[in-house]
Amino acid sequence: MLPRILAALRAARVDLAIVAAITLLAAVLRIWHLGSVPLGLHGDEAWTGIDARRVLHEGYIGPYLPSAVGQPIGPLYFTALLFKLFSDTTFVLRLSMALFGVATIPLVYCAFATMFNRTVAAFAALLLAVMMWHLHLSRTGFMVVAWPFIEMAVLLVLWHAHQRRSLALFILAGGLAGLGVYSYNAYLLFLPVPFVALLWWYLPRGSSGWPRRGIVVVVLFAVAALVVSVPLLLYIDDHSFEYRNHQRVVSITGSSSWKDGGPLDRADLLWDRAREWGEGMIIGDRPDLGDGLATRGHPVIDPITLLLALAGTVIALRNWRRAEYALLLAALVILPWGALLTVSDGLFRRTFGMAPFVAVLAALPLAWAWERIVPRPERTRYAYLAALLAIPALIGTTTAYAYFGQVQDTFALRYVYPYELDAASRYIAALPPRTLVYFYSYRWSFDYETRRFLAPDAQGEDRSIEFRRVAPQNGSLDFSARSDRDVAFVFLAPYDTSGSVQAAANLRSGGQITDAKRDDETLFLAYYSPLP
């Protein structure tokens, strides 16, 4: 057995070297400064951490939770595992999702090497590793990053099942497809995609009807997916209202414009949504306040990758009779509906399953050129190959430079990832136990998820005009404080003024003022007053 394993490793040493190199690159890009880039902890990231703590305390908490408007929670069980092994910090929270992003890269290589060849797979894995879309969402605590991961696992097993004519592997592929329903709401759009390959393999070519094996394979795949989905289906049956809450909030069919409009009005709504999504994808002029993607001048897909993917689409169209190309085209048609059929922000999360398919489409023309350069005379071959490799190198360099520099300084990133609240929450977490916090902020309440994750044991109340429960009769801010507790007044914009701190100090003298800054920007002001 051991000699056979060693022989297999020797035969695959080129593949292993390629996969190791690209995966290492992906890991560095996704884990470097992970706790501070993006700078602040997003509320949806915080929900992942809060719910993972529930898993640690309660055990299994079901397949779906109403947090973040409602979402399947399969990946957060992995977050809970890392919390148990290490600690429940921002870095570990994001690491739990970053590892899904890193692991997607070798899966992309293995899946597309099986579907196409080694050259296509290598370029696809490399392009996905440096794609802004995948890089950014892999560096957050959003569970959506598990979506492309499970897609690639399904396709890898599905193609091996077909090549080996293994019913057991078809069942496994179906089970993996069913497992994906626990990754993200929009994953459901991917479910028809594997069936395209099954239809292409087993669709009758004459009048003889479906071959028996084709029927058996499709049924086994579908039943396996259905069986694995049973816990979620049971949840939906018992909690239909809660499950459909997400649909009610984000579905375009639930909007008043859709309900009140006629066929032409609805077509205009879909067109406007498609244009909005497309502009963000290819121009970057639609900042998404759900996750910070598509800031001005920083499209979700860089121009070079986009042009390559368009060329790859032409190649796929010319080869549509082959199952692997038909599947790519199906994904290209089906998955954008995650944006078109929804409203508000979150467009690029809801279409994130497209990312590996865009990568492989962009890889097709590069692989085509590579295979025609390799047979050339040696004296010219290496120059041409170096020029070809310079394309993904340029994409990766410019993407990394932009992402870790300009993108982090854009208004959208600074707005979406609440670094001021993040800093204030860490200050609150460091206060002595049982300190009562009086919180002043126009944008966030004291109970916002970021604070709840970073300072879970803090006690406090909102005092801002926007969030206070009871307004004083004269409409002014309340600076009163209990006389039997240590108290802390925490002021965020626009309440972070010296006048606010002085008003608090006048009531409880002898306290300590904290003026937290980032460069020349005030993050928050605080006044801590212990009991004498």
Side-chain angles (χ1 to χ4, degrees), residues 382-405:
Y382 296 114
Y384 283 117
L385 292 179
L388 194 63
L389 289 173
I391 295 174
L394 176 64
I395 294 171
T397 302
T398 55
T399 298
Y401 179 78
Y403 181 76
F404 290 104

Side-chain angles (χ1 to χ4, degrees), residues 133 137 144 147 184-187 189 246 249-251 273 277 288 291 335-354:
W133 200 0
L137 291 180
V144 67
W147 178 6
Y184 192 68
N185 284 302
Y187 169 85
L189 288 169
H246 185 90
V249 172
V250 306
S251 173
R273 191 62 171 170
W277 176 73
D288 193 305
D291 47 48
L335 295 180
W337 288 94
L340 274 57
L341 294 177
T342 57
V343 297
S344 189
D345 294 300
L347 296 89
F348 311 111
R349 271 194 269 179
R350 296 172 197 147
T351 52
F352 188 45
M354 283 186 64

Side-chain angles (χ1 to χ4, degrees), residues 27-41 45 90-99 135-141 403-404:
V28 170
L29 290 174
R30 282 153 181 76
I31 299 176
W32 184 73
H33 281 224
L34 186 58
S36 57
V37 179
L39 183 58
L41 187 70
E45 295 182 277
T90 296
F91 176 84
V92 175
L93 165 59
R94 288 178 171 173
L95 179 65
S96 66
M97 298 301 123
L99 291 177
L135 171 62
H136 175 62
L137 291 180
S138 295
R139 291 185 61 90
T140 67
Y403 181 76
F404 290 104

Side-chain angles (χ1 to χ4, degrees), residues 212-231:
R212 181 181 300 176
R213 181 175 179 82
I215 296 174
V216 170
V217 164
V218 171
V219 169
L220 287 176
F221 182 90
V223 169
L226 187 63
V227 168
V228 174
S229 305
V230 163

Side-chain angles (χ1 to χ4, degrees), residues 280-297:
M281 292 286 287
I282 66 179
I283 300 174
D285 199 20
R286 198 286 185 199
D288 193 305
L289 300 183
D291 47 48
L293 281 164
T295 54
R296 183 179 295 274

Side-chain angles (χ1 to χ4, degrees), residues 163-177:
Q163 292 174 354
R164 300 182 184 186
R165 301 180 64 82
S166 169
L167 294 181
L169 287 178
F170 276 117
I171 294 172
L172 177 59
L176 289 171

